[in-house]
Amino acid sequence: MSTTELATIGGGCFWCLDAVYRDLRGVSSVISGYAGGHTRNPTYEEVCGKRTGHAEVVQIAFDPAEISYADLLRIFFTIHDPTTRDRQGNDVGPQYRSIILTHTPEQERIAREVMAEVTAARLWPAPLVTEVTPLDVFWPGEPEHQDYFTRTPWSGYCQAIIAPKVAKFRKTYADRLKRSAA
């Protein structure tokens, strides 16, 4: 019997996270969107305007029998820099913050445990600034932001930013990829 759980995370541009998590075995869907702010049903332009309080996030549907929530978060902490506040590379603003939006108290406990594990392992040279907060509302992004890397691999952002992250991810986590992604 298969069950599906949700994870909602943000770590920079949602296009990068979307491209990585779609390749993972046990992940059935990834939706790019917005969460963590105060504006109802925000648009991409509003979120980029930095006044909605929202972060660019992905909501991941996954089968915990195939991949655990903790493992999704362990991957999360290797595919973005969780030590830079409101920034990932050249992407700057509160919409690019590192954030875990939990769906249950159990997810919050696991998120804090994984963060302690990452800190103890000294994976990063600076302290983690990742927010952990309960998810209030997830707002799906516009259709043009869904599966962006697959649909527009020729774009400059995809070639310069997303492709290297995806290549590193695929090399590091080759044993966790769906067959079509390998």
Side-chain angles (χ1 to χ4, degrees):
M1 181 175 123
S2 169
T3 61
T4 300
E5 292 184 18
L6 295 175
T8 304
I9 54 176
C13 177
F14 49 25
W15 297 336
C16 293
L17 296 176
D18 177 285
V20 165
Y21 283 102
R22 283 181 185 276
D23 283 354
L24 273 176
R25 210 172 45 245
V27 170
S28 57
S29 73
V30 181
I31 301 171
S32 294
Y34 317 105
H38 50 80
T39 301
R40 294 182 51 77
N41 202 22
T43 65
Y44 181 72
E45 290 75 21
E46 289 171 333
V47 172
C48 289
K50 304 176 185 174
R51 291 185 300 276
T52 66
H54 288 294
E56 289 188 17
V57 300
V58 291
Q59 190 160 82
I60 304 161
F62 67 100
D63 180 349
E66 288 193 61
I67 186 163
S68 70
Y69 181 69
D71 282 346
L72 288 174
L73 295 181
R74 287 181 185 107
I75 292 167
F76 172 68
F77 283 111
T78 65
I79 61 172
H80 85 294
D81 182 347
T83 68
T84 55
R85 189 170 308 284
D86 297 344
R87 176 185 205 117
Q88 287 297 304
N90 292 329
D91 293 333
V92 179
Q95 71 272 30
Y96 300 119
R97 68 189 181 272
S98 180
I99 188 168
I100 300 169
L101 296 129
T102 58
H103 292 252
T104 65
E106 176 72 359
Q107 281 191 352
E108 180 178 356
R109 181 188 62 75
I110 292 168
R112 295 195 186 283
E113 286 176 0
V114 170
M115 288 176 69
E117 174 186 308
V118 168
T119 298
R122 296 188 175 157
L123 295 178
W124 294 96
L128 302 182
V129 296
T130 304
E131 293 176 35
V132 178
T133 189
L135 177 67
D136 181 21
V137 178
F138 170 76
W139 302 99
E142 298 83 348
E144 62 268 24
H145 297 296
Q146 308 306 322
D147 202 11
Y148 187 80
F149 181 65
T150 300
R151 291 184 309 96
T152 62
W154 40 263
S155 78
Y157 192 89
C158 288
Q159 290 182 356
I161 306 297
I162 303 174
K165 284 186 180 189
V166 170
K168 178 183 173 188
F169 161 76
R170 288 179 179 169
K171 181 179 179 185
T172 304
Y173 296 100
D175 61 325
R176 298 230 169 187
L177 297 179
K178 294 176 182 172
R179 290 192 188 272
S180 62

